[in-house]
Amino acid sequence: MKATEKKLVVGLEVGTSKVLALVGEVLPDGIVNIIGVGHCPSKGVDKGGVNDLESVVKSIQRAVDQAELMADCQISSVYLSLSGKHIRCQNEIGMVPIADEEVTAEDVDNVVHTAKSVRILDEHRILHVIAQEYSIDLQEGIKNPVGLSGVRMKAKVHLITCHNDMARNIVKAVERCGLKVDQLIFSGLASSYAVLTDDEKELGVCVIDIGGGTMDVTVYTDGALRHSVVIPYAGNVVTSDIAYAFGAPPMDAENIKIRYGCAVGSLVGKDEVIDVPSVGGRPSRSLQRQTLTDVIEPRYSELLALVQKELLVLQEELKKQNIKYQLAAGIVLTGGASQIKGMVECAEKVFKNQVRIGQPLNISGLTDYVQKPYCSTTIGLLHYGKQDLLNDDAKDSNKSSLKGIAKRLTGWFKKEF
Ligand SMILES: Nc1ncnc2c1ncn2[C@@H]1O[C@H](COP(=O)(O)OP(=O)(O)OP(=O)(O)O)[C@@H](O)[C@H]1O
Ligand SMILES: [Mg+2]
């Protein structure tokens, strides 16, 4: 196949800890073949927000250059993730009369569209409108209404909104690198696309992407997305706890955490000893590994308890709306900070439910580099982009392919900002 015929998508996560750019080729069977990886420590981003534009631009440029070199292609546009505590969600209902005898794809578009015309927070804009289920007249719980007959159709939708300026700043950083943004996507949503199976979504599941600065949480029940939230604390607070507790420079604290850290004390031998560097040229010291776990375990438990609190509130809300809440598939943890030893054991204590670590699914190619929890968001962006490409293809069978491409390049972002 010639390079120009390949269907390529690029995902870019500008995280608190790292910038990750991935180039993926969409294969006919829906697998994304990863052909380029660009990875660079992130500077100038905290908890999803840009606080130093110049530094962010440099980090993005480096990651994108690396990915281009490896994939041997030129990147002109990216699917970009967005996080931060400004991300909000609301469940809404749209309603339309059914124009003809049976529901058309256009009716479905319209009903979802009407659900968008609700009040959202000032200074916010809608990032995603995701259909949960439809009902036609008295029949509820319809997943795909096309072709069914009736008079009136309702759609339940999940809206995800973000603060305008937060979105604008991250897009600005990407555009300064001469790149277009195909679509801006909530990073928690992207991670869920990468790590969940359809069965888990049906059974009920909560995904927590624990990064450096944020925990991005999404909850699915009955096959539909019900809740999205960002909690602005994550792995970096654990690192700073270690730095303070042992008077170690932050870089050393990070290394100690990754090398010796464990989120459950009982998994660490009583007489294991580790070496801890000191600040100000003082000699390094020996410490029991257990002392390190004594710092890490309570903090991880506290972080996860914040999510558990959020889930309890959600449970009450869904009960009021008569929506079944059961997380039978448990909790899926992903993101860099989920890679710590003892993570599953620690989380099972907090959630009293089954827990697994989620790695990105449905990919091939450079999996040695990217089949890791810290890559989930970016891989999810590629799956999102893949769906756009496939949808365009379907539409292009009716229209000229040039129109399809033009539509993609002038996605909502160009129009609305
Ligand atoms: N093996 C490990 N054990 C413990 N923590 C780890 C490990 N590897 C990475 N981390 C932690 O994961 C965090 C970075 O995760 P990740 O790369 O997912 O963050 P990010 O996407 O840049 O940040 P965010 O999504 O919050 O903006 C850091 O806090 C780092 O210390
Ligand atoms: Mg992240």
Side-chain angles (χ1 to χ4, degrees), residues 13-19 39 42 45-49 83 187 209-216 231 233-239 254 257-259 261 300 334-341 373-378:
E13 180 187 12
V14 185
T16 303
S17 304
K18 51 95 181 30
V19 176
H39 182 272
S42 179
V45 180
D46 192 24
K47 300 182 189 303
S83 182
S187 55
D209 182 313
I210 319 178
T214 62
M215 291 190 288
D216 302 335
I231 297 172
Y233 306 100
N236 288 358
V237 292
V238 182
T239 305
E254 175 75 10
K257 177 177 85 170
I258 289 174
R259 239 174 116 185
Y300 261 95
T334 194
S338 73
Q339 301 175 130
I340 196 159
K341 192 166 185 267
Y374 78 91
C375 296
S376 296
T377 296
T378 322

Side-chain angles (χ1 to χ4, degrees), residues 89-401:
C89 72
Q90 52 200 80
N91 292 324
E92 298 290 346
I93 291 178
M95 212 183 308
V96 288
I98 297 169
D100 288 322
E101 268 181 17
E102 46 184 55
V103 174
T104 61
E106 206 183 343
D107 291 330
V108 176
D109 267 1
N110 285 343
V111 73
V112 169
H113 190 78
T114 62
K116 285 202 307 202
S117 54
V118 294
R119 206 180 147 67
I120 58 170
L121 278 181
D122 284 349
E123 317 264 313
H124 269 232
R125 58 154 301 115
I126 294 174
L127 205 52
H128 302 282
V129 187
I130 301 165
Q132 296 170 323
E133 60 245 329
Y134 304 87
S135 59
I136 296 176
D137 303 330
L138 292 176
Q139 193 184 343
E140 296 191 330
I142 301 169
K143 290 287 173 196
N144 180 9
V146 174
L148 299 179
S149 300
V151 179
R152 209 169 56 159
M153 174 164 59
K154 272 200 245 172
K156 287 188 181 166
V157 302
H158 184 73
L159 293 187
I160 304 180
T161 69
C162 67
H163 194 285
N164 267 324
D165 292 333
M166 295 302 205
R168 213 173 263 150
N169 286 337
I170 193 99
V171 169
K172 197 186 286 177
V174 171
E175 289 182 343
R176 288 263 172 107
C177 299
L179 300 168
K180 287 206 185 74
V181 174
D182 287 316
Q183 170 79 266
L184 198 55
I185 295 146
F186 167 44
S187 55
L189 182 69
S191 299
S192 77
Y193 287 161
V195 303
L196 288 186
T197 64
D198 287 344
D199 285 346
E200 285 175 318
K201 292 182 196 166
E202 278 307 321
L203 286 169
V205 67
C206 168
V207 186
I208 313 169
D209 182 313
I210 319 178
T214 62
M215 291 190 288
D216 302 335
V217 183
T218 49
V219 179
Y220 289 80
T221 69
D222 267 342
L225 180 60
R226 307 287 172 186
H227 194 59
S228 314
V229 68
V230 174
I231 297 172
Y233 306 100
N236 288 358
V237 292
V238 182
T239 305
S240 69
D241 283 348
I242 296 170
Y244 278 104
F246 301 119
M251 276 296 282
D252 292 316
E254 175 75 10
N255 291 336
I256 295 166
K257 177 177 85 170
I258 289 174
R259 239 174 116 185
Y260 306 108
C262 183
V264 167
S266 53
L267 294 178
V268 168
K270 286 272 172 282
D271 40 13
E272 275 184 70
V273 172
I274 57 169
D275 206 35
V276 179
S278 302
V279 277
R282 296 184 187 89
S284 64
R285 293 150 298 152
S286 292
L287 269 184
Q288 285 204 315
R289 192 170 168 202
Q290 194 73 52
T291 340
L292 177 65
T293 318
D294 289 346
V295 175
I296 296 175
E297 180 172 1
R299 182 60 97 176
Y300 261 95
S301 303
E302 190 190 354
L303 287 173
L304 297 176
L306 292 174
V307 180
Q308 173 68 354
K309 215 169 110 194
E310 195 55 55
L311 292 181
L312 291 174
V313 174
L314 175 68
Q315 183 171 10
E316 283 307 307
E317 273 172 24
L318 292 183
K319 210 190 264 171
K320 276 188 218 146
Q321 297 169 34
N322 261 335
I323 297 170
K324 188 176 80 184
Y325 172 91
Q326 206 188 351
L327 303 183
I331 311 287
V332 177
L333 300 175
T334 194
S338 73
Q339 301 175 130
I340 196 159
K341 192 166 185 267
M343 183 75 258
V344 168
E345 292 82 351
C346 174
E348 282 181 342
K349 273 195 214 167
V350 175
F351 294 107
K352 303 190 173 52
N353 199 338
Q354 56 169 327
V355 175
R356 73 172 179 92
I357 305 296
Q359 297 200 342
L361 305 168
N362 300 321
I363 51 171
S364 65
L366 303 166
T367 48
D368 284 354
Y369 290 94
V370 299
Q371 204 154 41
K372 305 269 163 57
Y374 78 91
C375 296
S376 296
T377 296
T378 322
I379 301 274
L381 295 173
L382 296 180
H383 286 307
Y384 194 103
K386 169 186 84 179
Q387 210 47 54
D388 268 3
L389 270 181
L390 297 177
N391 291 345
D392 274 357
D393 276 0
K395 283 183 192 153
D396 288 352
S397 52
N398 302 325
K399 300 177 193 162
S400 90
S401 65

